[in-house]
Amino acid sequence: MQAILSVTVPFFALVLCGYLAARTRVMPEAAIPGLNAFVLFFALPCMLFRFGASTPIGNLLNPTMLAVYTLAGLGLVALTVVLTLGARVHLKDAAFGALVAAFPNSGFMGMPMMTALIGAAAAGPVMVTLLVDMFIISSVCLALAQMHGASHLPLGARLRNALRGPIANPQPWAIALGALFSAAGLALPGPLERIVELLADAATPVALFTIGAVLWRAGEHARLDATPRDGAQRAPFVAVLPLALIKLCVHPALLFAIGSAAIAMGAALTPFNLMVLTLTAALPSASGVSLLAERHGADTGRVARVIMASTVLAFVSFSALAWWFGVRGG
């Protein structure tokens, strides 16, 4: 446990630093979008490219990992929608509740923390989860959200709207470019490789700091929004705890059960890859879901509170799960 905490404590401490810096206005709110853009469009893609280029192509295109993680994610989405949809939570908010419960923060937090905790071999499975979450889980949830009050739109238009975000995100393209370099045995020229290395090295601390700042901003905007959209009632903090627990407990448990069944049936899934997938599923909710909720007119306050609760609770739950798996540090 001491080896695990030596990794997790600094990571969550940097998130807290970002939150406090934004809350105390040491970092102006106007600076948060620029910081987020730096991580999203420069630092994180460079880090993903480096891991993709150094990861065997078979680990990135492992059909068993893709199938297991996709099945667990879609199952969790269906379960969350069924459990939360009702008179007080309409389809749009139920869909975003499912997205915040099924989409772990595997980019900004997961990739650097998992490789620091377990080693570079964890990069391949984590990148698999990123691709599935961006192109399948988020698209399904956004398509469900757009069905609320938009039945006049044809199915093709809904699908195009749902896929627009993932296609514009540089992270999957960085992984794909890295995979191409890995498959072809290519390498960047010296100066360009150094630039990529410098940006990639900046990804971890800046991304974690940004998570904290984004969490504060999402919570602040939700607090100031006195009239939730579409007549939704503001969710008290205790009301979002079930969604946070679904994210931190049900998601990894469901994935581990499906993966264990796949291994028992002889599928090409190693215990190591299953461990990485399960730990990734146990990460807190992705902070970017609050931006999507705001953009699509969902109950941003509810989503922001789930992200905040899952991030706070994940320090204990994730560390405990890593200890249960016997992780000893990367």
Side-chain angles (χ1 to χ4, degrees):
M1 179 58 77
Q2 184 176 355
I4 294 169
L5 292 177
S6 69
V7 175
T8 57
V9 168
F11 273 70
F12 282 93
L14 281 177
V15 175
L16 178 61
C17 286
Y19 180 88
L20 294 176
R23 181 174 181 176
T24 59
R25 308 304 171 101
V26 171
M27 183 177 65
E29 183 179 351
I32 298 176
L35 199 63
N36 193 59
F38 170 76
V39 176
L40 182 61
F41 292 100
F42 294 94
L44 190 56
C46 288
M47 184 179 70
L48 293 173
F49 169 81
R50 286 180 68 193
F51 280 123
S54 61
T55 301
I57 190 67
N59 290 352
L60 293 175
L61 300 177
N62 186 309
T64 305
M65 283 198 292
L66 288 166
V68 167
Y69 191 79
T70 300
L71 184 59
L74 292 177
L76 194 76
V77 167
L79 175 66
T80 307
V81 170
V82 169
L83 291 177
T84 59
L85 186 62
R88 299 183 62 181
V89 179
H90 52 59
L91 182 58
K92 180 184 292 184
D93 286 335
F96 272 99
L99 181 59
V100 81
F103 200 148
N105 204 334
S106 47
F108 279 34
M109 177 180 284
M111 180 63 75
M113 187 160 70
M114 295 293 288
T115 53
L117 188 64
I118 302 173
V126 176
M127 284 188 281
V128 167
T129 70
L130 271 168
L131 295 174
V132 172
D133 286 329
M134 289 178 185
F135 284 103
I136 300 178
I137 304 302
S138 63
S139 298
V140 168
C141 291
L142 290 177
L144 286 173
Q146 289 166 2
M147 291 180 183
H148 175 76
S151 57
H152 61 285
L153 292 178
L155 180 60
R158 298 179 198 170
L159 293 177
R160 284 194 299 271
N161 290 337
L163 287 171
R164 188 176 301 157
I167 291 175
N169 193 312
Q171 295 179 41
W173 301 113
I175 294 172
L177 185 60
L180 177 62
F181 270 64
S182 174
L186 301 175
L188 293 173
L192 184 56
E193 183 179 10
R194 180 57 178 158
I195 293 172
V196 170
E197 181 182 345
L198 288 170
L199 287 170
D201 289 343
T204 298
V206 180
L208 295 171
F209 194 88
T210 302
I211 291 172
V214 170
L215 285 176
W216 171 83
R217 185 182 64 173
E220 187 70 5
H221 286 188
R223 183 181 67 82
L224 295 175
D225 185 8
T227 308
R229 296 176 179 87
D230 296 337
Q233 297 183 12
R234 184 176 307 282
F237 192 82
V238 68
V240 303
L241 284 180
L243 281 176
L245 294 176
I246 287 174
K247 173 74 214 72
L248 299 176
C249 301
V250 179
H251 192 189
L254 179 61
L255 193 146
F256 185 76
I258 294 174
S260 297
I263 291 175
M265 291 186 292
L269 181 66
T270 66
F272 175 83
N273 287 341
L274 177 58
M275 176 185 70
V276 176
L277 292 178
T278 304
L279 286 173
T280 303
L283 290 166
S285 304
S287 54
V289 178
S290 63
L291 302 177
L292 287 173
E294 184 177 358
R295 187 181 307 161
H296 288 81
D299 187 350
T300 311
R302 177 172 178 259
V303 171
R305 286 174 172 82
V306 174
I307 297 171
M308 179 65 75
S310 68
T311 303
V312 172
L313 295 174
F315 173 69
V316 174
S317 62
F318 180 87
S319 299
L321 184 61
W323 174 81
W324 183 78
F325 272 117
V327 174
R328 290 176 171 81

